[in-house]
Amino acid sequence: MHGYGLASVIHRAGTDPVLPGDVTARARDLGPLESPLIWLAFASAAVAVLAVVVALWYRRRVRRWGFTAFGVLLLLAAVTALNSYVGYVRTSDDLARLLQRGPGVVHLAGRLLDDDKEAPEPSSDTSSGSSDSPSASHGGTGKAAAGQRIDVVNLPDPAHGVPSGSNYVILPPGYDTDTARRYPVVYLIHGYPFGGPRDWLTSGDAPGTLSALQQANVIAPMIVVSVDMTAGNPATDWECLNVPGGPQLETYLASTVVPAVDHRYRTFADRAHRALGGMSGGGFGALNIGLHHVDEFATLVIALPYDDLNDSIGILDGNQAAIAANTPRRYLPGMKFSAPISVMLAVGTGAPTDVVTARRIADALRARGQEAVVHAERGFNHTWHTARATLPYLLAFADQNFRATPATS
């Protein structure tokens, strides 16, 4: 029987945490590859090249090569401007891992750029598994921020249409030395489409945020799991659903991933010390799965939420029963809760639709007697910048709920 230590910053359960300024400033800061100076430099170079071409228009070779260079620089300016807005690639490590998703020379460039310090590669050795008997192999482990360890647990589940699943497990400092201690767990889901479990380690900066919060004594040590909900096909907008005739992703998370983590790691394997969260499409998945499984998750921590399938409704192939059962906007107002839940919804004020949606979800939850908090970041939009900036609040909110219920095992 080993509880987790009391942090020096105390919060009441169900409230928006007040965090140290250095922690929040760190989460809001731009990474080196997100600087607007990068795309401005490319745009300025493109304009300069175009000016040279105009000045030397009479020279055919200058025109040919000049327009090629202009096009390349303009493309780079557009890509880096988009990244500056979205916040997907923060550092050279993020860029390396993005390039590794590409083929041939692109993949090789990513491997050469990767220093292998932040996120370990999953093991090439995988084994099959099912929800009845989940089996997995650990990938190589690697040191992350401040003595953390990151494991990659491969959990394919062919019985539920999930051919592969590289789930990243962030273990807190001291996990390997204090072998009597158990920990609460936060599960995080990536966005869709083209998202993946690495995103919370790179774009979301979960290891760094955890380290900053723990060093500031804001939260007690916890395990964070970035779940692979791609079903081996990140280009498809699965929305974490049990897809008729397709992957059963909700079941995969609840019946395969959670039991496997509880089995392999020293967790408090009860709903009170288990939180589920995500961003955008992963936030929808966390809301929908969390409401379907209140017996497993007492806390939901969601960035950029929505409660309707909208353009993703086609994934359910017109199955009206499945659509109704997976649209929280429809079923939440009349839902009966077998156990209480506490929910934080984090948004940026630069995305008014997100703000309206979060307030609607919170109002519906409160009308059913549940705790709901909306946290808004001024000026932020529906991007990874917002997910990263709000992650400290989401994790602190989960922590305050973990501490509200004494740990007894």
Side-chain angles (χ1 to χ4, degrees):
M1 294 181 143
H2 197 314
Y4 45 91
L6 185 64
S8 63
V9 178
I10 301 298
H11 311 295
R12 290 187 299 110
T15 64
D16 191 352
V18 177
L19 303 180
D22 57 339
V23 173
T24 57
R26 181 192 176 283
R28 294 175 181 134
D29 280 349
L30 297 180
L33 294 188
E34 297 172 299
S35 171
L37 295 177
I38 298 175
W39 72 263
L40 286 171
F42 281 127
S44 298
V47 171
V49 167
L50 185 60
V52 172
V53 170
V54 171
L56 300 175
W57 187 261
Y58 59 91
R59 299 181 63 174
R60 176 188 287 181
R61 179 172 293 183
V62 171
R63 291 203 310 269
R64 184 171 65 249
W65 286 104
F67 278 124
T68 299
F70 174 76
V72 170
L73 289 168
L74 202 61
L75 177 62
L76 289 171
V79 170
T80 52
L82 178 63
N83 183 64
S84 181
Y85 173 76
V86 173
Y88 190 67
V89 179
R90 298 175 306 125
T91 66
S92 59
D93 295 294
D94 295 359
L95 179 59
R97 289 176 172 83
L98 179 63
L99 293 176
Q100 286 174 38
R101 299 181 184 181
V105 175
V106 176
H107 178 83
L108 178 60
R111 296 290 294 181
L112 292 174
L113 190 61
D114 189 359
D115 63 10
D116 200 34
K117 288 182 179 178
E118 288 191 7
E121 289 286 343
S123 169
S124 59
D125 175 28
T126 58
S127 52
S128 62
S130 69
S131 61
D132 295 325
S133 181
S135 58
S137 61
H138 287 274
T141 59
K143 292 290 183 183
Q148 296 165 345
R149 194 181 92 208
I150 301 175
D151 288 353
V152 188
V153 179
N154 290 311
L155 291 170
D157 188 357
H160 290 106
V162 180
S164 62
S166 297
N167 302 278
Y168 288 76
V169 181
I170 306 172
L171 300 171
Y175 180 86
D176 293 316
T177 55
D178 188 355
T179 56
R181 186 169 193 165
R182 293 186 175 274
Y183 301 87
V185 185
V186 176
Y187 293 85
L188 296 175
I189 308 174
H190 53 80
Y192 288 100
F194 298 107
R198 280 187 176 186
D199 292 348
W200 275 111
L201 277 67
T202 54
S203 307
D205 191 31
T209 297
L210 278 167
S211 179
L213 287 168
Q214 290 170 8
Q215 288 180 4
N217 292 318
V218 174
I219 66 171
M222 63 176 64
I223 296 172
V224 170
V225 181
S226 185
V227 186
D228 187 346
M229 298 291 273
T230 66
N233 187 0
T236 300
D237 194 356
W238 298 117
E239 297 291 321
C240 306
L241 297 169
N242 280 347
V243 179
Q248 307 296 289
L249 285 165
E250 176 180 326
T251 302
Y252 171 69
L253 191 155
S255 299
T256 299
V257 176
V258 170
V261 169
D262 285 340
H263 175 71
R264 294 169 182 277
Y265 298 97
R266 298 191 308 277
T267 69
F268 291 115
D270 60 68
R271 67 179 301 273
H273 298 94
R274 190 183 292 136
L276 178 61
M279 65 87 68
S280 192
F284 171 84
L287 177 65
N288 193 43
I289 295 173
L291 292 176
H292 290 171
H293 295 269
V294 296
D295 56 329
E296 293 186 59
F297 303 99
T299 303
L300 305 182
V301 286
I302 301 168
L304 321 179
Y306 55 91
D307 55 357
D308 197 302
L309 288 165
N310 298 316
D311 294 340
S312 303
I313 198 168
I315 200 72
L316 294 177
D317 198 27
N319 186 319
Q320 294 303 310
I323 292 170
N326 291 285
T327 304
R329 188 172 182 176
R330 293 194 198 180
Y331 67 73
L332 178 54
M335 180 174 169
K336 295 182 179 179
F337 285 82
S338 58
I341 62 169
S342 187
V343 182
M344 171 172 271
L345 305 148
V347 296
T349 60
T353 300
D354 285 2
V355 176
V356 171
T357 300
R359 289 174 178 167
R360 180 176 64 238
I361 296 169
D363 288 344
L365 285 163
R366 293 176 190 134
R368 307 307 299 168
Q370 309 306 309
E371 290 184 338
V373 174
V374 176
H375 174 86
E377 286 287 311
R378 186 170 299 279
F380 282 70
N381 300 291
H382 192 97
T383 66
W384 268 107
H385 282 311
T386 309
R388 187 164 71 239
T390 58
L391 183 60
Y393 294 94
L394 297 172
L395 293 178
F397 182 83
D399 174 78
Q400 70 185 17
N401 284 290
F402 294 152
R403 284 192 270 126
T405 303
T408 58
S409 61

